[in-house]
Amino acid sequence: MNIIMLGAPGAGKGTQAEMIAEKYGIPHISTGDIFRMNIRENTELGRKAKVYMDRGDLVPDELTTNLVSDRIRKPDCGKGFILDGFPRTINQAECLEKELKELGLAIDHAIDVDVPDDAIVRRMSGRRFCPRCGAVYHIEYLKPAKEGVCDRCGTELVQRDDDIPETVQKRLDVYHAQTEPLIGFYNERGLIRKLDGTREPEEVFSEITTLLEAK
Ligand code: AMP
C-alpha cells in the first residue's frame, strides 16, 4: 500500500500519517522530518535546507527528490510506505511517478486532508516542539504536562522558525501556488481521497481506514 498525504502545512497530515504507519506497519516518510533531523545534526543538507525552510519557501527539488528516491528503495518499504510532505510540486510528483514505474510500483491513494486557511494559521502558530527529541505539542490542543517543557525529555519547548505567523502565511501561499495543483494531478489518475480535516484526529483516521480498506 503506497500512500501520499496531501493537504496544506498544518492540516494534520503528519498525525494521520503516523497513525496509518502504526496500524498498517509501513514506514512514515516525512521530508520535513528528514530535513529537520539534518538541521539538528548540522549536515550539509541540513544547512542548505534551513535557509529555505526558515523563510517558508520550498527546498529546491534537486535536494528533495534524490532523498526520497533513496528512501523508497530501502527494504522496509517492501510492504509499502506513506509519503508525508512529498511530493510538493508537479515536478516532484512526475519524478516520483517515474521512479516508482522503474521499480514496478505505483501510488494507490493520495489522501487530501482539507482544512481552511484560517484554521491552519490558528493551529500552526500554537505549535511548539522539543529541539532535543523532536516531540510536538500545541498550546491549546496538545499541552505538555508542565507548560513549556517536553514531557519526554524535560527540555524547554520552542516555536519552530517556520511556525511564526508571518511564515505560516507564506507557507500557505506557497502551498496554494505550488502544491495544491497536485490535487488535479492525482485526481486525473483517480487516486484522490478527500477528507474534512477540521474534525478530531480519531474521526479523520477512522474515515481514512474505511477508505483504505474499501479498495
Ligand atoms: P513540513 O514539516 O512537511 O511542513 O515541511 C517543513 C518545510 O520543509 C517546508 O516548509 C519546506 O521548506 C521543507 N520541505 C518539506 N518537504 C518538502 C518538499 N517535498 N519539497 C520542498 N520542500 C520541502
Side-chain angles (χ1 to χ4, degrees):
M1 188 154 53
N2 303 325
I3 302 171
I4 286 177
M5 300 301 292
L6 294 174
K13 56 190 188 318
T15 308
Q16 295 301 327
E18 200 59 60
M19 291 159 96
I20 299 169
E22 195 173 317
K23 182 170 168 88
Y24 297 101
I26 53 178
H28 167 202
I29 303 171
S30 154
T31 41
D33 283 351
I34 297 175
F35 287 134
R36 280 186 288 277
M37 190 186 74
N38 276 274
I39 292 173
R40 280 202 300 279
E41 292 175 356
N42 195 19
T43 65
E44 195 189 340
L45 174 65
R47 284 192 295 275
K48 283 186 184 161
K50 189 173 191 313
V51 179
Y52 299 93
M53 289 169 75
D54 283 354
R55 57 176 195 234
D57 281 325
L58 293 185
V59 176
D61 284 352
E62 61 271 21
L63 295 180
T64 313
T65 47
N66 289 344
L67 182 154
V68 174
S69 145
D70 290 346
R71 184 64 189 86
I72 58 174
R73 286 178 157 77
K74 295 257 159 71
D76 65 338
C77 291
K79 275 194 351 192
F81 52 77
I82 305 167
L83 287 173
D84 162 19
F86 183 93
R88 256 181 159 100
T89 61
I90 295 282
N91 179 45
Q92 290 180 8
E94 286 170 347
C95 288
L96 176 68
E97 198 169 55
K98 194 164 147 265
E99 289 277 334
L100 289 174
K101 213 171 184 175
E102 278 171 27
L103 296 169
L105 301 172
I107 295 299
D108 300 302
H109 307 273
I111 300 175
D112 174 26
V113 185
D114 188 39
V115 178
D117 282 10
D118 55 343
I120 299 251
V121 173
R122 255 198 328 276
R123 280 187 187 182
M124 285 174 92
S125 4
R127 224 149 59 164
R128 297 292 179 271
F129 103 106
C130 172
R132 181 141 176 245
C133 73
V136 179
Y137 300 87
H138 193 282
I139 55 172
E140 277 176 68
Y141 314 120
L142 191 61
K143 296 181 183 174
K146 183 168 173 228
E147 197 186 316
V149 177
C150 181
D151 289 346
R152 277 200 224 158
C153 67
T155 306
E156 198 175 325
L157 301 177
V158 296
Q159 188 167 36
R160 264 166 52 175
D161 289 338
D162 56 355
D163 280 345
I164 58 172
E166 301 75 48
T167 317
V168 170
Q169 192 51 57
K170 172 75 188 290
R171 292 174 73 197
L172 280 171
D173 295 344
V174 168
Y175 167 76
H176 290 303
Q178 301 196 58
T179 308
E180 211 168 25
L182 290 179
I183 297 175
F185 180 94
Y186 287 111
N187 204 21
E188 276 170 24
R189 287 151 177 79
L191 299 175
I192 285 287
R193 322 277 178 249
K194 186 172 169 159
L195 299 152
D196 171 5
T198 59
R199 298 163 300 163
E200 287 300 311
E202 291 70 25
E203 220 180 302
V204 179
F205 182 59
S206 152
E207 197 182 333
I208 292 179
T209 55
T210 307
L211 279 172
L212 296 181
E213 288 166 23
K215 208 180 167 194

